[in-house]
Amino acid sequence: MSDDNSSSSSSASSSSSSEEEPTMLATGDDDDRQDRREDEGKSDDDSSDSDEEMNDSEEEGNIDVKDESVGDDDDDDGDNDDDLSDEEPMAPAAATAVLSKSWMMAKSHVPTFTGGKISICQKEKWLLLPVHGDLAVVDGTKGVKVGTLRGLHDNDLMSGDDDIDDEDEGLDREAITAHAMDHTDQIIMTCTRNLLLQQYSLDPETGKTKFVKTWSRSGHTLPVTSIRFHISNVFMATGSVDGTVRVWDVRGGFVTHVFRPFKGGDGGGSGRLSVTAIQWKEELGQLIIAVARDDGSIAIHDLRDENNQNVVIMRDHISAVTAMEWWGDEFFLSTGRDAILNLWRVVPVEESSKKKKKKKKKSKTAGGGGKLVDIKKVEYRRIQTIPVYEEIGGMVLVPAKKHLNEIKVATAGSKGLVRLWKATVVHGTTPELKPSIEQPPSQAFGDSRGGYTGLILNQRALAEQDKSEQLIAIDAEHNLSFMSSKLHTSRTIVGYNDEILDLKVIPDDSANSIVVATNSAQVRIFELDNFSCHVLDGHTATVLCVEASPCGRYVASCGKDKTLRLWRTKDRKCVGVATGHTEPVGACCFSRKVGRYEVVGKAARNGGGAFCVTASMDRTLKRWNLPGLDELKDCHEEPIEMEAATSIRGHEKDINIIAIAPNDSLVASGSQDKSVKLWNATDLSLRATLKGHKRGVWDCQFSPIDRVLATSSGDKTIKLWSLGDYSCVRTFQGHLSSVLRVRFLKTGLQMVSAGADGLIKLWTIRTNECESTLDAHSNKVWALDMKPDGKTAVSGGADSRILIWEDNTQQVEDEKREKEAEAIILEQKLANHLRYKEYGKALEIALQANKPLMALKVMNSIIERDIQERKGNGLGSLQDHVKTWDMDRVAQVLKFCRDWNTRARNASVAMLVVQAIFTTIPVERLCATPGIPEIMAGISPYAERHFERLDRLYADTFLLDYVLSNMGELEPTEDAAESERLFDDWAASSKLVLPPKNVDGRIQVGGKAIVGSLSKNGTDDEGDDDDEVHTIGDSSSDEESVVGDDKKGADSGEEEEE
């Protein structure tokens, strides 16, 4: 979240802007939108004159909102008493309301599943779902993604946005093609498109993953499609498109067995031999694996059969086998895309005594004297073939009660219907599977949208004896439906929403659910707590718009099937259908007075009850009177057919939005013809036309408090219109692209807008300022709505993300006040400790508060006291404090020194503290501490610069010595020889801070070259007298002087010159 406090400009740019209009309608409606944009482009030139007039009227009407909204309108037509609600224009609560300044993202629903095989923990709540080549770890109870596994051997957890594409083939070489979880819920194995096997660990408590190791390349020549663990977690099998299956030892990471398709008739030689399914027999004492291939063959191998003599080949399927299961040791089931379900009996085969002896002999020779492995030869006999008349995508064995000896099988396929099959097992008879239960048609996914692609058993629900979520069905639209043992859907996790075209908060008692249109024929109702989803099926084409009634009992949806559907939220049943539009319906709105929804009987049919207004691409508006409360409650079969009470042609181009005033007296419509029209709600007669936008109007909203209307447009602006004289009183600019949605906060003093630039902005109406900018969407934000309390907003966009925002202004202000109070208390404590010279406690407070300036003040005080009391330089006292610090505190102080050292006046303190640290703590320990070498690298350049400055100052002092020696002593002493001796001793004992450096043949002192390089014969190499001696310091004469110890030569030279 970032703040944007810049004021908006007075008006927008001209209509000749080349910005591209965002496309609100998704796939299937591009032609309509393209035609609309072309029409709009043609009309831009024709409306240039009117634009100038609009600009003039806008400047004249740019007055204060309160003056227009609260004042009396005596010059109007006398109907303004009915314009808005009966409330006062400005409620007392709104007048004293605290303005919102800051918002934060509380929750988000992001794409978590885009198709493929999924894995589920046996005992924990985590799901592993493929999403865009990655692997998402999802909380199965909430439907919230907690992490993403990426197929990179050097990264264990990455965001799903970091795709690395193969430059040659255009494929993501790191995409995960297969994955599996072991039976302990702790090991995750993945295989990427580049055939790397990688192992991760999973924390059962938090769901966090950690990269463990990369095994090696899988050994397959084509991508791996299946990975399965044996129940012992010792062995793991991988199946590939190349037709081979490799069995791995998990403990050592090496291959133990390789199973290839058999040649000719032994394997069903159709040429399509890719592995489609792998299934281990779920018994610890047996190492039997079934391998299904794309040609319909099933091969059953025993890992103990070293010579593959007892391999069972079944070729009864004519298409790819998708699922296999064992029922004990007696029966085997298989199903596939050939729309049949086969039941097999496992029959032991008696071998002759000669074959037994021969087999034992071979096993002894092969075993090298080890244990004899008695491998029983079995035969699989097909005893029943059931035509299911659909391609089966998934099959699971449902556990039956212990006292019931029966086979229960659940199947799901292309018809979008889950079925349960049962067969009673009686000794001596052949069981026969028969249909038992079917999924209710109202809850079935159906075949029109692709049906079901998978079915898995929820082991966690079985362990917890939760009968409401025993099965999980995966459909073609990437939804995960949790079903009970009776095949009733309890909830749905939406893996992928596609584009979010519209959403509304359902204002029921808790206001904790939203209705969403997701570029499909489904209407989805999400619970905001856990993002559990309920699907409303009824539309035959893409849903474009949704609406929620103010009472919370009904939602409406309309779309490309040219119909409006009314849904009851309690049982999610369609109770009304309105037909009459000739083009897709893109906008609808309910009446806003809650009392209207209590009207019953003929009064409701005649217009006294609730109503709904729709707008279509046929450019008409229609008013529909809703049936009475009694009729809607009693509707349990077919939906009620609604008829249009009023219909008018409203605009010259597509109508994008409909809004109804809080008192149901006015209807506002915004269109691509750049205008907003106000209509009387009773008969849809025109009240006024608002013109001023340069491009199409995408949204409009009535204020809940003032007599104003807010509109947003493709010209990147938001305008506020007075309902008194219908003039524009405010224009807000700040979005970088079209403004698609605008909503008032509960107080009416602020607005929230969403744009095609992916930004959500918070505006204060009084000041025209943007208080905050929320940047979390990566594409157009098509949908935005507020909860009734005004403290929570929900947004959705073309990036398939649903984000929940909460107002944290109060929290931020409280934290700010707490920090200020803590700072005041710390400063007071610090002042008290400094006053009583308790420097140790003062320094500890400054370091705990992470206050460099306070710490510097305390360090200066410590050094001053040491100089005054101990007659030292402060090093000893600092060393005493350093001994009490741990390495984290040392690193913190060194960071302070790095900052202090950047200023010359604080450099001495910084260097003294550094000296105290390096003379107290061994250098080896400092170098081994992370971060300290980097900190010292930042200190060194400034330290060298300060030392060079000291050298220059020291060298400049010799000019004073030279002047004084030539002027003679100011106060001659009795013994001149003694004074001269003392001066020579001082000069001999003095030295530079940094030693002179020889750079390019020149000696440098303090960064200045003072002596040129001399040749062997004592002359300058270049013969230039100017290079022999350089003057140090400022001098008023042009004469050259000698530096350093050659003072006598300088004196004699001056005498000769005199």
Side-chain angles (χ1 to χ4, degrees):
M1 182 181 304
S2 62
D3 292 333
D4 185 3
N5 295 326
S6 60
S7 301
S8 61
S9 303
S10 60
S11 62
S13 59
S14 65
S15 60
S16 61
S17 173
S18 60
E19 178 207 1
E20 181 181 356
E21 277 290 311
T23 304
M24 182 174 182
L25 302 183
T27 58
D29 198 49
D30 297 336
D31 296 336
D32 296 337
R33 286 297 179 184
Q34 183 64 29
D35 294 340
R36 188 203 66 204
R37 287 197 294 266
E38 292 175 358
D39 293 341
E40 180 185 350
K42 294 177 182 178
S43 62
D44 283 343
D45 297 335
D46 299 337
S47 59
S48 59
D49 297 335
S50 60
D51 287 342
E52 295 177 0
E53 297 175 359
M54 285 181 256
N55 291 335
D56 297 337
S57 62
E58 177 184 325
E59 294 175 359
E60 294 175 0
N62 193 11
I63 57 176
D64 190 79
V65 179
K66 184 175 180 181
D67 297 338
E68 289 292 339
S69 60
V70 181
D72 297 331
D73 302 315
D74 298 332
D75 57 342
D76 202 24
D77 55 3
D79 296 333
N80 285 337
D81 294 337
D82 297 331
D83 279 349
L84 287 178
S85 62
D86 298 331
E87 304 172 3
E88 292 295 329
M90 178 67 75
T96 59
V98 178
L99 294 179
S100 176
K101 298 288 185 181
S102 175
W103 288 66
M104 62 176 290
M105 186 173 66
K107 295 179 183 178
S108 65
H109 183 278
V110 298
T112 56
F113 178 52
T114 55
K117 297 180 180 179
I118 72 174
S119 300
I120 184 171
C121 289
Q122 302 290 321
K123 299 178 182 179
E124 303 298 333
K125 59 184 178 180
W126 310 112
L127 300 172
L128 299 181
L129 308 179
V131 52
H132 297 304
D134 301 334
L135 195 61
V137 182
V138 178
D139 186 339
T141 59
K142 299 180 180 179
V144 177
K145 183 169 72 173
V146 298
T148 304
L149 284 175
R150 179 65 173 147
L152 296 175
H153 65 277
D154 57 346
N155 291 293
D156 56 2
L157 190 62
M158 292 184 65
S159 65
D161 297 331
D162 300 329
D163 289 335
I164 301 177
D165 294 332
D166 183 71
E167 296 179 356
D168 299 331
E169 302 179 11
L171 297 175
D172 188 355
R173 302 296 297 173
E174 310 298 339
I176 295 175
T177 59
H179 64 276
M181 185 182 297
D182 75 338
H183 293 80
T184 63
D185 300 337
Q186 295 180 356
I187 298 176
I188 300 174
M189 188 63 62
T190 66
C191 187
T192 60
R193 191 180 295 275
N194 58 10
L195 306 179
L196 281 178
L197 283 172
Q198 297 168 343
Q199 181 180 339
Y200 298 82
S201 64
L202 175 69
D203 186 347
E205 297 295 331
T206 63
K208 294 183 178 180
T209 58
K210 183 179 180 181
F211 176 75
V212 178
K213 63 180 179 179
T214 297
W215 282 19
S216 64
R217 290 196 175 271
S218 62
H220 295 281
T221 59
L222 291 175
V224 175
T225 57
S226 300
I227 302 179
R228 293 297 292 266
F229 280 90
H230 187 259
I231 192 172
S232 64
N233 296 317
V234 176
F235 295 100
M236 179 191 73
T238 60
S240 170
V241 179
D242 62 9
T244 62
V245 173
R246 291 176 175 264
V247 179
W248 301 73
D249 188 311
V250 178
R251 298 165 298 183
F254 56 85
V255 177
T256 61
H257 298 75
V258 178
F259 301 124
R260 294 182 175 85
F262 287 85
K263 296 181 180 179
D266 292 336
S270 65
R272 295 177 290 113
L273 301 177
S274 61
V275 176
T276 57
I278 299 174
Q279 182 64 41
W280 291 92
K281 192 170 184 180
E282 301 292 333
E283 291 188 16
L284 286 172
Q286 300 187 26
L287 297 176
I288 300 176
I289 184 173
V291 179
R293 294 186 168 85
D294 198 36
D295 61 352
S297 65
I298 301 174
I300 299 178
H301 303 265
D302 193 330
L303 268 59
R304 294 186 173 92
D305 184 7
E306 298 180 359
N307 299 320
N308 285 337
Q309 294 181 349
N310 297 325
V311 178
V312 179
I313 305 295
M314 296 175 285
R315 299 189 299 273
D316 290 62
H317 288 278
I318 61 175
S319 186
V321 177
T322 55
M324 302 169 291
E325 291 286 351
W326 272 278
W327 191 86
D329 293 330
E330 302 179 39
F331 299 99
F332 180 78
L333 299 101
S334 64
T335 187
R337 296 194 182 98
D338 53 2
I340 61 172
L341 172 62
N342 284 335
L343 177 63
W344 310 75
R345 186 189 292 275
V346 183
V347 181
V349 177
E350 294 293 334
E351 295 181 330
S352 63
S353 58
K354 292 183 180 180
K355 289 184 177 180
K356 287 183 180 180
K357 290 180 181 179
K358 187 176 180 181
K359 188 175 181 181
K360 286 183 179 180
K361 186 177 180 180
K362 286 184 178 180
S363 63
K364 284 182 180 180
T365 305
K371 290 185 179 181
L372 294 177
V373 180
D374 186 15
I375 302 175
K376 295 182 180 180
K377 188 173 182 179
V378 296
E379 186 181 60
Y380 286 72
R381 298 176 182 174
R382 180 165 51 86
I383 60 177
Q384 187 180 6
T385 297
I386 304 172
V388 293
Y389 305 107
E390 64 173 339
E391 295 182 6
I392 301 299
M395 177 189 69
V396 295
L397 276 176
V398 180
K401 295 181 180 179
K402 294 183 179 180
H403 66 278
L404 296 178
N405 195 22
E406 64 180 9
I407 303 174
K408 293 176 65 176
V409 182
T411 62
S414 59
K415 285 189 175 181
L417 188 67
V418 180
R419 305 181 196 181
L420 193 63
W421 309 77
K422 286 185 181 181
T424 303
V425 179
V426 179
H427 183 69
T429 62
T430 300
E432 183 178 356
L433 284 172
K434 295 182 179 180
S436 175
I437 304 175
E438 284 190 355
Q439 187 181 9
S442 60
Q443 298 181 2
F445 184 73
D447 58 351
S448 61
R449 301 198 304 274
Y452 290 113
T453 59
L455 184 68
I456 61 174
L457 195 64
N458 191 351
Q459 297 287 353
R460 176 175 173 270
L462 293 175
E464 297 177 355
Q465 296 183 351
D466 184 3
K467 295 183 179 181
S468 63
E469 297 184 356
Q470 288 190 356
L471 298 174
I472 303 176
I474 303 103
D475 60 47
E477 292 188 354
H478 316 311
N479 303 320
L480 279 67
S481 300
F482 290 75
M483 299 181 182
S484 66
S485 57
K486 301 296 184 181
L487 304 185
H488 290 282
T489 302
S490 58
R491 64 187 178 95
T492 300
I493 292 179
V494 176
Y496 187 68
N497 274 320
D498 206 344
E499 250 184 295
I500 308 296
L501 299 183
D502 197 11
L503 66 80
K504 291 293 188 298
V505 175
I506 302 177
D508 51 10
D509 295 337
S510 60
N512 202 36
S513 56
I514 58 175
V515 55
V516 184
T518 60
N519 197 24
S520 69
Q522 290 180 333
V523 179
R524 298 174 179 177
I525 297 179
F526 284 91
E527 302 294 333
L528 296 182
D529 288 337
N530 54 13
F531 287 108
S532 175
C533 177
H534 301 282
V535 178
L536 309 180
D537 284 322
H539 284 279
T540 58
T542 302
V543 176
L544 302 177
C545 177
V546 291
E547 174 68 342
S549 65
C551 63
R553 292 197 290 263
Y554 311 105
V555 296
S557 59
C558 51
K560 293 183 180 179
D561 57 2
K562 309 171 188 176
T563 63
L564 165 75
R565 285 186 173 267
L566 183 67
W567 308 84
R568 194 165 50 208
T569 57
K570 183 178 180 180
D571 55 2
R572 298 177 292 279
K573 179 178 176 55
C574 180
V575 295
V577 177
T579 58
H581 284 288
T582 59
E583 294 291 339
V585 184
C588 64
C589 188
F590 277 120
S591 55
R592 310 316 300 169
K593 282 190 173 182
V594 178
R596 286 180 174 268
Y597 294 88
E598 305 295 332
V599 180
V600 298
K602 291 184 179 180
R605 287 284 188 177
N606 293 332
F611 62 91
C612 180
V613 178
T614 60
S616 169
M617 292 182 187
D618 59 12
R619 304 168 188 177
T620 63
L621 283 79
K622 294 182 184 292
R623 168 176 167 149
W624 312 83
N625 294 330
L626 302 187
L629 178 63
D630 51 351
E631 294 183 68
L632 295 177
K633 276 187 176 181
D634 296 337
C635 180
H636 299 290
E637 300 298 333
E638 294 297 323
I640 302 172
E641 292 287 341
M642 296 188 294
E643 295 182 358
T646 307
S647 179
I648 57 102
R649 181 180 176 89
H651 290 268
E652 297 301 321
K653 291 188 177 181
D654 297 349
I655 303 173
N656 292 329
I657 191 65
I658 292 290
I660 298 179
N663 69 341
D664 296 341
S665 63
L666 286 178
V667 176
S669 62
S671 169
Q672 286 300 125
D673 61 9
K674 311 174 190 177
S675 68
V676 178
K677 293 188 178 183
L678 299 178
W679 314 85
N680 291 315
T682 54
D683 56 357
L684 295 184
S685 59
L686 184 63
R687 173 71 69 87
T689 300
L690 309 179
K691 294 183 178 181
H693 283 292
K694 309 299 184 298
R695 289 203 171 187
V697 178
W698 285 105
D699 197 13
C700 58
Q701 180 82 4
F702 286 94
S703 171
I705 302 298
D706 292 333
R707 297 158 57 95
V708 292
L709 176 74
T711 60
S712 64
S713 168
D715 60 8
K716 312 177 189 178
T717 65
I718 304 166
K719 290 184 180 294
L720 211 61
W721 307 83
S722 170
L723 296 179
D725 57 2
Y726 309 116
S727 63
C728 176
V729 294
R730 282 285 190 275
T731 298
F732 301 85
Q733 284 186 313
H735 281 280
L736 304 177
S737 188
S738 301
V739 186
L740 304 177
R741 286 290 179 266
V742 61
R743 292 290 181 271
F744 281 96
L745 268 63
K746 183 179 180 180
T747 59
L749 303 178
Q750 292 179 293
M751 296 185 301
V752 179
S753 63
D757 52 8
L759 302 178
I760 299 174
K761 290 182 176 289
L762 175 66
W763 306 89
T764 297
I765 296 175
R766 182 70 62 183
T767 61
N768 268 42
E769 289 184 354
C770 177
E771 299 290 350
S772 180
T773 299
L774 314 178
D775 185 7
H777 286 281
S778 59
N779 210 328
K780 301 179 184 70
V781 183
W782 285 117
L784 177 68
D785 201 17
M786 303 288 298
K787 277 191 175 184
D789 60 2
K791 298 294 184 181
T792 304
V794 185
S795 63
D799 56 1
S800 306
R801 295 161 62 91
I802 299 176
L803 305 181
I804 302 175
W805 306 89
E806 291 184 354
D807 185 357
N808 65 336
T809 303
Q810 190 64 39
Q811 178 183 350
V812 171
E813 291 181 354
D814 292 343
E815 292 176 356
K816 184 178 179 181
R817 283 194 292 267
E818 289 177 2
K819 289 181 180 180
E820 291 177 353
E822 290 176 1
I824 293 173
I825 294 174
L826 285 176
E827 289 179 1
Q828 184 62 45
K829 288 183 178 180
L830 183 63
N832 293 339
H833 290 313
L834 291 176
R835 179 180 180 184
Y836 295 105
K837 299 184 179 181
E838 298 173 350
Y839 299 122
K841 295 181 180 180
L843 183 60
E844 187 67 22
I845 290 175
L847 295 178
Q848 284 182 356
N850 197 28
K851 301 292 185 182
L853 187 59
M854 291 183 179
L856 178 63
K857 186 187 299 184
V858 176
M859 293 287 188
N860 281 321
S861 301
I862 293 174
I863 295 172
E864 290 176 2
R865 184 186 64 176
D866 193 54
I867 292 174
Q868 295 174 359
E869 297 181 359
R870 300 185 182 182
K871 305 302 181 181
N873 61 353
L875 183 62
S877 299
L878 293 176
Q879 288 175 336
D880 295 339
H881 289 288
V882 172
K883 293 176 183 178
T884 63
W885 296 343
D886 57 14
M887 296 310 296
D888 292 338
R889 184 54 53 82
V890 170
Q892 179 189 13
V893 174
L894 285 176
K895 287 181 182 179
F896 289 173
C897 292
R898 182 182 60 189
D899 297 337
W900 300 339
N901 199 40
T902 58
R903 305 192 68 176
R905 65 180 182 182
N906 301 327
S908 59
V909 178
M911 290 296 98
L912 198 60
V913 175
V914 171
Q915 181 182 0
I917 292 175
F918 275 80
T919 55
T920 305
I921 302 174
V923 177
E924 295 80 5
R925 188 180 176 189
L926 291 171
C927 294
T929 303
I932 289 184
E934 291 78 7
I935 296 173
M936 293 306 302
I939 293 177
S940 298
Y942 283 97
E944 291 181 1
R945 191 169 73 178
H946 294 319
F947 288 151
E948 290 176 356
R949 178 174 55 83
L950 292 176
D951 285 344
R952 290 195 302 271
L953 293 175
Y954 174 72
D956 289 346
T957 60
F958 283 89
L959 179 63
L960 298 176
D961 297 337
Y962 170 74
V963 172
L964 293 175
S965 63
N966 282 278
M967 292 175 61
E969 296 182 355
L970 298 178
E971 297 180 1
T973 59
E974 297 179 357
D975 191 354
E978 180 66 17
S979 299
E980 185 175 356
R981 186 186 64 80
L982 292 175
F983 178 78
D984 292 339
D985 293 342
W986 170 82
S989 62
S990 300
K991 62 180 180 179
L992 298 173
V993 178
L994 292 179
K997 292 183 288 186
N998 193 331
V999 180
D1000 296 334
R1002 297 179 182 275
I1003 301 175
Q1004 290 187 356
V1005 178
K1008 293 185 177 181
I1010 60 173
V1011 179
S1013 58
L1014 300 177
S1015 60
K1016 293 182 179 180
N1017 57 4
T1019 62
D1020 191 4
D1021 293 339
E1022 299 179 0
D1024 189 357
D1025 294 340
D1026 293 337
D1027 291 335
E1028 290 184 4
V1029 179
H1030 285 251
T1031 303
I1032 302 294
D1034 297 331
S1035 176
S1036 59
S1037 66
D1038 296 332
E1039 299 171 356
E1040 298 176 350
S1041 59
V1042 181
V1043 184
D1045 297 329
D1046 196 10
K1047 295 183 179 180
K1048 295 182 179 179
D1051 295 340
S1052 60
E1054 188 172 337
E1055 291 175 357
E1056 292 176 359
E1057 191 173 355
E1058 292 176 355

